[in-house]
Amino acid sequence: MDRSTILSIIAYLPFVGWFFPMFFTDTHDTTAQFHAKQGVIVSAALLASVLAYILLTMMMPKPINFLLTVALIGVFGFALYHSGIAVRNILTGRGKYSIPLIDRIFDKINI
């Protein structure tokens, strides 16, 4: 595997992959930059979901907390599933995979 492929895969790992690929990719390596940017957006969305969950569970009654927990599990499942597809496409050489919903804000954010 070349450096671009490794950095593209690392972009989807929590903590390590949030900013590591963004600082170590070449400016002309568009594939690694694409996956690094997408990985940061996915991580930010997951972090925002967890923070919203924590705040809402403190304010809502118990029956609604259960629904919030189910929603949070769904968000994590969505992110894990589509990140897995992106990594599979990187490894098999199928090209870039834009995660649904993330691709709508992808071009609007300049990282």
Side-chain angles (χ1 to χ4, degrees), residues 33-63:
Q33 285 182 349
F34 171 83
H35 290 291
K37 186 176 177 181
Q38 188 162 271
V40 168
I41 294 171
V42 168
S43 300
L46 289 176
L47 185 61
S49 298
V50 169
L51 291 175
Y53 172 78
I54 291 169
L55 291 174
L56 288 173
T57 53
M58 288 190 279
M59 295 184 288
M60 298 293 175
K62 294 275 186 205

Side-chain angles (χ1 to χ4, degrees), residues 60-75:
M60 298 293 175
K62 294 275 186 205
I64 295 178
N65 286 349
F66 174 74
L67 294 175
L68 291 172
T69 303
V70 170
L72 184 67
I73 291 170
V75 168

Side-chain angles (χ1 to χ4, degrees), residues 77-98:
F78 177 85
L80 183 63
Y81 174 76
H82 287 289
S83 295
I85 291 174
V87 170
R88 183 199 64 193
N89 284 357
I90 294 166
L91 291 173
T92 58
R94 294 183 184 178
K96 297 177 182 177
Y97 175 74
S98 295

Side-chain angles (χ1 to χ4, degrees), residues 23-40:
F23 293 119
F24 291 102
T25 57
D26 297 328
T27 55
H28 64 278
D29 189 1
T30 58
T31 303
Q33 285 182 349
F34 171 83
H35 290 291
K37 186 176 177 181
Q38 188 162 271
V40 168

Side-chain angles (χ1 to χ4, degrees), residues 2-9 29 31-32 90:
D2 62 337
R3 181 179 179 184
S4 176
T5 304
I6 292 170
L7 287 173
S8 296
I9 293 170
D29 189 1
T31 303
I90 294 166

